[in-house]
Amino acid sequence: MDANQPKQEHLLALKVMRLTKPTLFTNIPVTCEERDLPGNLLNQLMKDDPSTVKGAETLMLGEMLTLPQNFGNIFLGETFSSYISVHNDSNQVVKDILVKADLQTSSQRLNLSASSAAVAELKSDCCIDDVIHHEVKEIGTHILVCAVSYTTQTGEKMYFRKFFKFQVLKPLDVKTKFYNAETDEVFLEAQIQNITTSPMFMEKVSLEPSIMYNVAELNTVNKAGESVSTFGSRTYLQPMDTRQYLYCLKPKQEFAEKAGVIKGVTVIGKLDIVWKTNLGERGRLQTSQLQRMAPGYGDVRLSLETIPDTVNLEEPFDITCKITNCSSERTMDLVLEMCNTNSIHWCGVSGRQLGKLHPSSSLHLALTLLSSVQGLQSVSGLRLMDTFLKRTYEYDDIAQVCVISSKVKEEH
């Protein structure tokens, strides 16, 4: 083939357009007072403008819609839609037309074509249309590769490709914090920030817990018997605004009884976030599995099951403790010692035998004590000794209780 021979023109033309929602038309109102030089001219021009709202001509938003003028931004979690059209610009009949659309990301190549079958023939001035959809699940550079192959009337096989490069941006910034309670509960605080340039309607923000936990959402308040969102009736998130969501996770009963299992848990669950933007365009994100650093309780864990909030000065009150052998291999023989502090005095015999406690098992213990000092007092002074290893475990500041005078309680 002669190198100087001009390159053969293709008989087919390929057009690719992104499908997005239109926007409301905006204009800049120009007005003046009647005593000014233009008089009522500018006001009349605005009233005659078909794009303005009748009776509210000075509003920037109009009643008309504007088709997208550029490719726009694509955000992670949104659905990318595109219209592909192959048109026969020639006066010949073209045969065996195959249109293929692939999306190349940084980690994979996806076939987006609705059909892989070839079209038998395409007459002059006719076209083949296709609409492709893809939920964007990666950020960074994406390349839409559209390839067209066909056969001319002379039997020559032709092929060409076009590349369309675009960036996928991150719409939300999600930060999480964990708080471990003494009762095996885990509190999750999720901070969600809108890092796009337009407002978002937050349709749903939920936590899907792991198999070991039940979850309770703490983002509503009860008003007149109805659950009302703490964010109000309009759950819009403005650009660069941050909203905090709170969840409480409780271990399921079958796992709560196995201290060794709960101790090693690091996977909590994942957040499911759904939002809507301009004219109802929907986006959805799911975080990866959220992990926390499981608290270390050592060999023996002592936690409070029940304790009163307020008690009377120098009057005995009861508490219930739960003692758990966190070891997965070793049986313990425990002795309980109760040491008085400046304000807390234990009632009962110190040094009593609790018996053997097998691995990953628990026992409940009812204790009685009183306080000789008013105010907020810390419950301290419990000691557990393992007679097998001659090891002592100390438990101070287990909980706090408010101590008041009995006279104050009578007055109320």
Side-chain angles (χ1 to χ4, degrees):
M1 184 176 178
D2 188 355
N4 296 322
Q5 183 178 345
K7 188 176 180 180
Q8 183 177 354
E9 291 289 333
H10 281 285
L11 305 179
L12 303 182
L14 172 67
K15 291 184 179 180
V16 177
M17 291 170 281
R18 184 190 172 195
L19 297 177
T20 57
K21 295 289 181 69
T23 56
L24 289 171
F25 179 78
T26 58
N27 53 19
I28 300 176
V30 180
T31 183
C32 66
E33 296 182 4
E34 291 184 5
R35 64 184 180 184
D36 292 334
L37 185 61
N40 199 38
L41 177 63
L42 297 178
N43 294 334
Q44 190 60 44
L45 288 174
M46 284 197 302
K47 289 181 180 180
D48 296 339
D49 190 341
S51 67
T52 58
V53 179
K54 302 307 176 186
E57 290 81 8
T58 54
L59 286 178
M60 289 187 65
L61 284 178
E63 294 182 319
M64 293 187 174
L65 297 175
T66 305
L67 294 176
Q69 302 300 306
N70 51 43
F71 195 79
N73 293 323
I74 299 178
F75 292 99
L76 184 68
E78 293 183 343
T79 299
F80 168 71
S81 300
S82 186
Y83 168 70
I84 299 175
S85 178
V86 176
H87 186 267
N88 187 354
D89 289 345
S90 70
N91 54 7
Q92 304 179 25
V93 175
V94 179
K95 297 181 179 180
D96 302 329
I97 305 98
L98 181 63
V99 183
K100 188 178 180 183
D102 291 342
L103 187 64
Q104 178 70 55
T105 70
S106 58
S107 62
Q108 58 184 333
R109 189 182 181 105
L110 303 166
N111 179 23
L112 305 184
S113 300
S115 173
S116 57
V119 178
E121 66 175 25
L122 185 64
K123 296 180 180 179
S124 176
D125 204 28
C126 292
C127 61
I128 300 171
D129 300 321
D130 191 15
V131 176
I132 58 174
H133 303 281
H134 173 66
E135 185 179 343
V136 182
K137 297 181 180 180
E138 294 181 46
I139 60 173
T141 303
H142 287 57
I143 302 174
L144 180 63
V145 183
C146 296
V148 180
S149 62
Y150 61 95
T151 304
T152 64
Q153 281 185 336
T154 58
E156 184 180 2
K157 294 187 179 297
M158 305 292 290
Y159 175 82
F160 68 93
R161 290 189 301 175
K162 282 190 177 182
F163 300 88
F164 304 89
K165 187 176 180 181
F166 59 91
Q167 295 289 331
V168 174
L169 307 176
K170 187 179 174 183
L172 299 170
D173 186 31
V174 181
K175 296 178 181 177
T176 56
K177 295 180 182 178
F178 290 103
Y179 305 91
N180 299 307
E182 280 296 322
T183 55
D184 284 330
E185 292 178 341
V186 179
F187 290 90
L188 168 65
E189 177 192 343
Q191 298 180 358
I192 299 177
Q193 183 181 26
N194 176 8
I195 55 177
T196 69
T197 57
S198 59
M200 285 183 177
F201 172 75
M202 305 305 292
E203 186 174 290
K204 184 182 78 167
V205 180
S206 62
L207 177 65
E208 297 179 2
S210 62
I211 191 172
M212 293 186 177
Y213 287 95
N214 292 319
V215 64
E217 293 193 14
L218 305 179
N219 305 307
T220 57
V221 292
N222 195 316
K223 287 186 178 180
E226 294 185 3
S227 294
V228 180
S229 172
T230 55
F231 309 112
S233 58
R234 294 181 177 88
T235 54
Y236 288 99
L237 195 59
Q238 297 295 333
M240 304 313 295
D241 277 2
T242 301
R243 185 172 289 170
Q244 293 166 300
Y245 294 84
L246 187 62
Y247 304 90
C248 176
L249 295 109
K250 296 181 181 180
K252 294 179 179 178
Q253 190 63 36
E254 59 266 32
F255 296 106
E257 296 173 355
K258 302 175 183 178
V261 176
I262 289 293
K263 183 180 67 173
V265 170
T266 55
V267 176
I268 294 298
K270 54 187 178 181
L271 287 169
D272 186 17
I273 307 169
V274 180
W275 70 91
K276 288 181 179 178
T277 54
N278 178 44
L279 291 180
E281 284 189 279
R282 198 166 182 263
R284 181 183 180 186
L285 278 182
Q286 275 194 333
T287 64
S288 55
Q289 289 287 351
L290 302 175
Q291 295 184 337
R292 69 174 177 121
M293 185 64 69
Y297 298 111
D299 296 333
V300 185
R301 180 186 178 189
L302 187 145
S303 58
L304 280 183
E305 295 288 290
T306 60
I307 183 172
D309 296 328
T310 306
V311 298
N312 290 334
L313 180 68
E314 297 180 347
E315 288 186 13
F317 62 93
D318 297 326
I319 64 173
T320 305
C321 298
K322 182 180 178 182
I323 300 172
T324 306
N325 180 356
C326 296
S327 171
S328 59
E329 300 175 352
R330 187 167 59 85
T331 300
M332 298 181 178
D333 187 21
L334 298 175
V335 175
L336 174 67
E337 294 183 358
M338 300 180 292
C339 305
N340 294 334
T341 65
N342 293 333
S343 59
I344 295 295
H345 305 272
W346 296 93
C347 305
V349 179
S350 180
R352 63 168 160 153
Q353 296 277 345
L354 299 181
K356 293 182 180 180
L357 192 61
H358 296 288
S360 300
S361 60
S362 305
L363 63 86
H364 290 80
L365 191 64
L367 299 173
T368 305
L369 63 158
L370 61 85
S371 176
S372 59
V373 180
Q374 293 187 74
L376 194 63
Q377 304 299 327
S378 291
V379 178
S380 303
L382 288 180
R383 306 288 183 264
L384 289 173
M385 187 177 73
D386 182 9
T387 58
F388 287 156
L389 294 182
K390 305 296 182 186
R391 184 179 297 172
T392 301
Y393 304 92
E394 300 181 356
Y395 300 95
D396 294 315
D397 298 323
I398 304 167
Q400 291 181 323
V401 63
C402 182
V403 183
I404 62 173
S405 172
S406 57
K407 293 181 180 179
V408 175
K409 194 167 185 179
E410 289 173 4
E411 291 175 1
H412 283 283

